[in-house]
Amino acid sequence: MTLQNTNNWLYDEVIDTKETEIIEENVYVDEDFIKNKSLIRMDLNLIQYPIFSKNTKRKENQIVKYFFNKNKDTFITVIPSAGNYIPGETEEKVFIALMKIMKQRGMPRKFLVTSKELKEELNLNTGRYIALVKDALLRLSSTTYNFKNTMYSSEKKTVLSEEVQTAIMSLRILRLEDKNNIKIKKEINDNRVKEVYEICISDQFYNNIVTKGYLVYNSDILLSIDTSTARTIYMLIEKLRFNELYLKIDTLFLIKRIPLKYSKSHMSRTIKILENNLQELKEKNLIESFSFLKETTWEKSEIEIRFNEQTMNEKQERFFDDLNDFKKISTSLAISNTEHGLLVVSDEGESTFEATKEMIENIFNILPVIAKKLKSMPKTIADNIERYGFEKVMKVAIYLSKQKNLKSPRAYFLKALENNWAEDIVLQSKILEKENIEIVEVVEEDKTLQNYEKELNYYNSLSEDDKNNLEDKVYRAYILECGEETKIQKLAFGAAKRKLIGEYISKNQLMKEEGIIENTDQKLEKGQNILTDINLFNEYISKSIDIYKIVLDLSDEKIMGLKREILLKLSGKFILNNLTIEDIDKTIAEKLK
């Protein structure tokens, strides 16, 4: 019903509309289906920036602005509501508990929670928990964050250059005595509960949490860390170390990212705070050891941190447990693009591929020895067969078996799957009649042999006996690298034999011994058509970026991130043997715009 004023007459206009249609969708996933209820996804912006203050003497109406470069065009401004102060340690813990409850609810952007639930998750023993929780929720929802050149967007896969203003979440307080909330009151069925909080995570943070802008942490571990500073250090170094067991970081960088009070007069006190918090992480077995490397001043010092190998396995397991849980959740939420890649589901919501024991064993047998030592590999293979299919995973296993000096085989395996590094390998299925099992023949496309044209010409010039002797050496070297000699290995060797022979001749400089090649070293020059040496590839990128580091005053974290992005972007071209120096220069220039 609307009112219109026509010719100074006021009259009712009746609009005939169709009956309102209400569609209800159940997006709740029974928590019994979730394997690890403690795993949560944390937005990358919350990890690497000072979203929660470490200052215990915060003041009302105090706005804090954090700058991340000399030009002061890269910053975050934290603005509390009138009469309030910015979020700190309590709000951080409450947010972690909210992420855990959101996971249990099935990852909805909007969900209901009570003070009692948060009390249990936070293990609060005070009778003031209702007021404490409510104040923290109000502070979380009313604080505004302005991001300039700092907000990472999973949708655009980059840091946004425009200024973004957002809260972490919004809040509605629902009084259960209100007749409109009778249904909620019946579901809670606890007369002691007077209020329910409706939480709605803001778009920027929620989109990152459910897609690519997140890391997985165990919420119980985060909440068990005694101090906010130690918790921040743990989350930050887990991000920075990626898949490594060693991390060296500038002391000043860590101080400013936490952030802690920094001045020359207070430096020794700040170092002592860092030391105490790192010691807490060590005592909780979250790091193995740490040491300060100081040659001159504390401002120029570094911190060396080492991690137990067990923590690396646990980190990998967190991601895959979370992925398995998210498969169940994502069907209801219609979310498919997670950090782990595209989930392939049928109309019924189940994976379109099924991993059999034979498939897993066939792929596992091809992997290099270092990968076979990981207890998580069979499960990793099974999960990825269900996601990508048997053929793609088999290609990557074969590709992995030929890599040298693997330090993190599982992480490399996943990256190869995600980036299609093995797409030039062609598989042809065959059935062995006697054993009635499917195995795979590998056929390399002719273009992959072009780099070994001289080596193969040399091979063809040998006598039959010499050819057979050389082939036997190549086969033995291949089996030694694989770690096992099975029918799969024999078949794979037969299909890729010419390429393996070319690689063997080149690696062992057999042509040089015969006086055919004077120098097999590759020289790096502008205008060079193809770059095929992995060491030169890495070296050229490092040296090029290091020049920009000096000119543009880039942080070590920025340099590390740039190198990783450039390597990932160009790896596909390198593997396909069509990467040029000009490609590298162009990519570096694009990333530094």
Side-chain angles (χ1 to χ4, degrees), residues 210-240:
V210 298
T211 53
K212 292 197 173 187
Y214 70 91
L215 288 178
V216 176
Y217 293 92
N218 186 307
S219 60
D220 291 340
I221 290 176
L222 294 181
L223 293 173
S224 72
I225 297 174
D226 296 332
T227 65
S228 178
T229 300
R231 189 180 307 111
T232 298
I233 292 173
Y234 170 67
M235 295 173 72
L236 186 59
I237 63 177
E238 279 290 283
K239 173 184 179 292
L240 293 177

Side-chain angles (χ1 to χ4, degrees), residues 387-424:
R387 288 172 54 206
Y388 296 108
F390 174 74
E391 180 177 325
K392 183 172 182 178
V393 180
M394 175 60 86
K395 286 183 181 181
V396 169
I398 295 165
Y399 172 77
L400 199 72
S401 70
K402 298 172 185 170
Q403 305 310 309
K404 311 293 183 184
N405 301 321
L406 281 173
K407 293 182 179 179
S408 302
R410 188 169 180 273
Y412 198 93
F413 180 81
L414 297 174
K415 283 293 181 184
L417 278 166
E418 185 178 337
N419 295 293
N420 293 319
W421 292 347
E423 61 185 350
D424 62 328

